[in-house]
Amino acid sequence: MTTHAHTPLAETLSARQQALVSIAALTAKGDLPHLHDALAQGLDAGLTVNEEKEELVHLYAYCGFPRSINGLNILLKVLDERQAQGKKDVIGKAASPITSTAPKYERGKKVLEQLTGRPEKEPKTGYGAFSPEIDRFLKEHLFADIFERDVLTYQERELVTIAALVSLGGVEPMLQGHLDIGLHTGLTATQLQQLMRVMEAAVGKQEADAGRAVLTKMLATKPK
């Protein structure tokens, strides 16, 4: 895997990582008053303006444009308030230009294989065979256009995605898959358990307990 895809193992989530989780959870839930506070706390924890903006853009792929745009509008409000208070937030780096001339489908397929650690199966089965369009959109847009952007690492994007899926609920197969990807990008079981505690504080025990059940099921499939 590339450096972009993998981050060294750690035993606890950093303050930045916890902020990413809370922001994603509250964006997916549509809890704008608490999202306002989480975005401010994320900036205080060391997230840059561009990192928070990138997270909110990333989330549209999982919880839709309305939630994402609402989040961006709240971030604008937070930044205006902090500027009026004399706070100087770090803008941070913008996304690097994509220089690859390879077809976007092949680039997205490669990113997905890096995330999962498994080659993509051909020919397609299931939903990919039933709807080749959605498979193409996933590869070309989600995994090429979005995941290739280097403002957030693959591991950070997985933290954001997992938090959004737990908050949304009812998407257990996708959540289990992304929890597994989280492990492959270097997150530990301990960190994923901590993520669920952050989720409980952000959006509630019911959502966190449902996420814990999926995490327990996923971990049970791993070699001891």
Side-chain angles (χ1 to χ4, degrees), residues 41 117 132 189 203:
Q41 290 162 8
V203 295

Side-chain angles (χ1 to χ4, degrees), residues 36-186:
H36 175 283
D37 295 342
L39 287 165
Q41 290 162 8
L43 293 168
D44 290 337
L47 291 175
T48 68
V49 173
N50 278 340
E51 286 171 336
E52 290 199 345
K53 183 169 67 173
E54 186 74 20
E55 174 174 13
L56 293 166
V57 171
H58 175 98
L59 283 166
Y60 100 80
Y62 295 95
C63 53
F65 277 114
R67 293 282 197 251
S68 176
I69 291 171
N70 276 346
L72 289 166
N73 282 329
I74 294 297
L75 177 56
L76 282 170
K77 182 180 179 182
V78 168
L79 294 173
D80 286 344
E81 292 170 353
R82 289 169 69 88
Q83 185 177 33
Q85 295 164 3
K87 294 183 179 180
K88 297 183 182 297
D89 292 308
V90 177
I91 299 301
K93 71 173 184 178
S96 303
I98 303 298
T99 58
S100 173
T101 58
K104 281 205 294 186
Y105 184 90
E106 294 305 317
R107 285 169 25 215
K109 180 179 174 181
K110 181 179 178 181
V111 169
L112 183 55
E113 289 175 340
Q114 289 177 323
L115 287 166
T116 63
R118 296 185 295 272
E120 278 288 284
K121 294 180 180 178
E122 299 289 350
K124 296 298 175 189
T125 59
Y127 75 83
F130 181 63
S131 176
E133 300 86 356
I134 199 71
D135 178 66
R136 186 174 71 253
F137 295 157
L138 281 167
K139 301 294 193 309
E140 293 183 353
H141 183 47
L142 177 58
F143 293 112
D145 286 339
I146 297 178
F147 266 80
E148 277 190 323
R149 291 168 59 83
D150 60 359
V151 179
L152 297 175
T153 66
Y154 287 171
Q155 184 183 100
E156 289 167 337
R157 290 185 185 278
E158 283 307 312
L159 280 171
V160 170
T161 300
I162 290 165
L165 295 177
V166 172
S167 188
L168 287 170
V171 288
E172 287 78 9
M174 293 79 178
L175 176 56
Q176 183 167 340
H178 280 282
L179 287 166
D180 189 51
I181 290 172
L183 289 178
H184 193 252
T185 62

